[in-house]
Amino acid sequence: MRKLFAWVLFFVLILGSYQAIQYALDRPELSRMFSEVKETVDQSIDTFSDKKEEKAKDIVLKDTTGKQKGTFTNEYGEQWQMTHNGYEQFTLESSNGKGGYIAGKGRTLFNTTIGETTYGEVQKQYGAPLEEIRKGNKIFKMNDDNKKEMLLYEIDGYYVTFFFDVHNANRLRAIQYIPYNVEQKKEGFYGPSSNALRTGFEQLMIELMNQARVEHGLKPLIYDKGLTAQARAHSQDMIDQNYFSHTGSNGSTPESRMKNAGYLNEHFYAENLAYGQYSSIFAHEGLMNSLGHRKNILNKDLTHAGVGVAFDAENVPYYTINFYTPF
């Protein structure tokens, strides 16, 4: 009976009958039911209007039990807010709640499961991926089916990038989702360079590597900011001298550069380099699919790391990542 009255009042409200509404409000029981119906309708309208925007976010938050661990400036001029539980249930969420990134085996999003769903299964579910993003007169290539490292789709108003692990039977490793309008608002493929973005990229790279290490049963790396200056210098030297190599323009090596920075008698030295990817997320996922770089990230004998980023004239980031283990 209460449901019947509620629906009657609902349709009366839609038809705009002032007298019927006033009649309900003059009676306590009907007034209470009217309030409940109005609240339900208001919530339904809000939910409907935000349906696409909230769809991915709601799924992510159901899986997230960690507390906020840090914030990092990203290429969209916003902040990633990071949460995790000892690097499990790893989540980045945009400060405005629009867009994010998740990693961690067993997590589900967009009807896929990290660590289980394969490259082929995503293709079967969503069909042919987007191979490019067009911004004005510029076209940016996004997918390489030969490598099978990632797939890009437009789903429910998001650009969704599925990242795969080629060293784990091309199973899903992580997912990034960015609202269509947010991506299109960003000029070009790369975000505008700044000191804040450089620092954000550097710090986030450490966190992403630590997520991967913990997932493989290893201890997190200790972030050594004392390596930042010399790592940035090598990144800048590659830009200035137009090369990409572990050997510097002056003949330096990763070990010699680190020793010149004061790390004289360390037990191990190692270095990863990356450039061209438009964020630390894409750079990290690429490094995890490159066997030599992956071995450095997942080397149990390496305990400390520092990162240095520099941007070229086109805002392309260059990464120098140094690892060491002290005696």
Side-chain angles (χ1 to χ4, degrees):
M1 183 60 70
R2 284 171 56 85
K3 290 183 178 180
L4 178 60
F5 273 114
W7 281 109
V8 169
L9 287 173
F10 171 73
F11 285 113
V12 167
L13 175 62
I14 296 300
L15 294 173
S17 174
Y18 174 81
Q19 290 182 342
I21 294 172
Q22 188 63 47
Y23 175 81
L25 294 176
D26 288 341
R27 288 157 176 76
E29 182 177 356
L30 292 180
S31 177
R32 179 163 51 83
M33 285 192 291
F34 175 80
S35 297
E36 291 174 355
V37 172
K38 182 178 182 303
E39 181 178 355
T40 300
V41 172
D42 289 342
Q43 292 174 349
S44 298
I45 292 172
D46 289 341
T47 300
F48 179 78
S49 63
D50 293 336
K51 184 178 180 181
K52 286 187 176 181
E53 182 177 300
E54 296 295 323
K55 184 174 182 180
K57 175 185 173 185
D58 287 346
I59 298 173
V60 172
L61 293 182
K62 288 178 182 177
D63 281 341
T64 304
T65 56
K67 294 182 179 179
Q68 184 170 320
K69 302 290 184 179
T71 60
F72 314 97
T73 298
N74 64 27
E75 64 275 20
Y76 297 99
E78 300 171 353
Q79 298 284 317
W80 285 132
Q81 296 180 339
M82 177 180 66
T83 58
H84 60 75
N85 281 331
Y87 291 102
E88 296 182 355
Q89 303 293 309
F90 188 94
T91 299
L92 298 174
E93 186 178 20
S94 180
S95 51
N96 62 11
K98 300 177 181 179
Y101 166 93
I102 68 168
K105 292 181 179 179
R107 304 188 72 187
T108 59
L109 187 62
F110 296 107
N111 298 315
T112 63
T113 303
I114 293 175
E116 298 179 15
T117 306
T118 66
Y119 184 95
E121 288 170 342
V122 172
Q123 280 188 316
K124 184 177 180 179
Q125 179 175 181
Y126 289 108
L130 297 176
E131 295 185 356
E132 60 190 34
I133 292 179
R134 182 184 296 272
K135 294 187 177 183
N137 295 324
K138 294 184 178 180
I139 298 175
F140 303 95
K141 297 294 184 181
M142 298 299 297
N143 187 60
D144 186 346
D145 191 51
N146 293 321
K147 293 184 177 180
K148 292 182 168 53
E149 294 183 4
M150 57 175 258
L151 288 168
L152 174 68
Y153 292 92
E154 189 177 343
I155 305 172
D156 294 327
Y158 291 92
Y159 281 122
V160 181
T161 306
F162 297 97
F163 297 101
F164 298 90
D165 189 342
V166 300
H167 302 290
N168 184 29
N170 295 108
R171 292 188 175 91
L172 187 61
R173 218 204 73 80
I175 303 170
Q176 176 180 281
Y177 58 99
I178 303 294
Y180 178 88
N181 63 329
V182 172
E183 179 61 51
Q184 289 297 327
K185 184 179 178 181
K186 176 165 64 73
E187 293 185 7
F189 190 69
Y190 302 98
S193 59
S194 67
N195 286 331
L197 184 60
R198 174 166 64 176
T199 300
F201 277 179
E202 291 167 348
Q203 294 177 348
L204 181 55
M205 180 61 78
I206 294 290
E207 303 295 348
L208 293 168
M209 291 192 297
N210 282 342
Q211 185 279 325
R213 286 176 64 90
V214 170
E215 187 168 83
H216 286 80
L218 304 174
K219 292 182 179 179
L221 294 162
I222 296 172
Y223 184 20
D224 188 342
K225 293 183 180 180
L227 288 166
T228 302
Q230 67 86 25
R232 286 179 176 178
H234 183 64
S235 293
Q236 190 63 53
D237 187 55
M238 289 191 290
I239 293 170
D240 294 341
Q241 303 302 323
N242 192 29
Y243 73 95
F244 184 71
S245 172
H246 294 288
T247 302
S249 61
N250 61 355
S252 66
T253 65
E255 182 174 343
S256 68
R257 288 192 293 272
M258 293 175 69
K259 285 184 175 180
N260 286 338
Y263 296 81
L264 301 176
N265 298 302
E266 312 310 329
H267 189 49
F268 291 109
Y269 298 90
E271 182 176 83
N272 282 352
L273 301 177
Y275 90 103
Q277 300 88 353
Y278 76 119
S279 73
S280 290
I281 290 173
F282 278 77
H284 170 69
E285 297 298 337
L287 290 170
M288 283 295 292
N289 279 326
S290 173
L291 189 57
H293 298 103
R294 180 190 182 95
K295 287 182 176 178
N296 282 340
I297 294 171
L298 300 181
N299 189 335
K300 64 181 178 60
D301 294 322
L302 293 172
T303 59
H304 294 62
V307 183
V309 171
F311 299 95
D312 70 9
E314 302 298 323
N315 295 318
V316 177
Y318 282 63
Y319 293 82
T320 298
I321 307 169
N322 289 132
F323 305 86
Y324 75 94
T325 300
F327 274 109

